[in-house]
Amino acid sequence: MKKEKNQQVQFDLVAEKIQSMLETMSYGSITIIVQDGKVIQLEKNEKVRIK
């Protein structure tokens, strides 16, 4: 049961971070790095379009 709780906490944290990244980005990509079934890193690559 404790392991499931920790997984849910990690999922909620990752979801919050991704949502925050999306809110501040107009163009670009977000890469999720996973190791041993766990998210260990998020990378944000933002593009700036000059008209």
Side-chain angles (χ1 to χ4, degrees):
M1 183 81 166
K2 186 175 180 181
K3 184 177 180 180
E4 291 175 8
K5 176 84 170 168
N6 287 340
Q7 288 175 338
Q8 185 62 44
V9 168
Q10 182 193 25
F11 177 82
D12 291 344
L13 179 62
V14 169
E16 276 182 37
K17 295 288 186 181
I18 292 171
Q19 183 176 5
S20 175
M21 289 176 160
L22 287 170
E23 288 172 353
T24 61
M25 186 169 67
S26 295
Y27 299 97
S29 61
I30 297 173
T31 303
I32 303 170
I33 309 299
V34 177
Q35 182 176 331
D36 297 327
K38 296 181 180 179
V39 176
I40 61 164
Q41 184 172 323
L42 297 171
E43 297 176 358
K44 178 179 167 183
N45 186 6
E46 189 169 3
K47 306 288 184 187
V48 177
R49 307 256 171 138
I50 301 173
K51 295 180 181 183

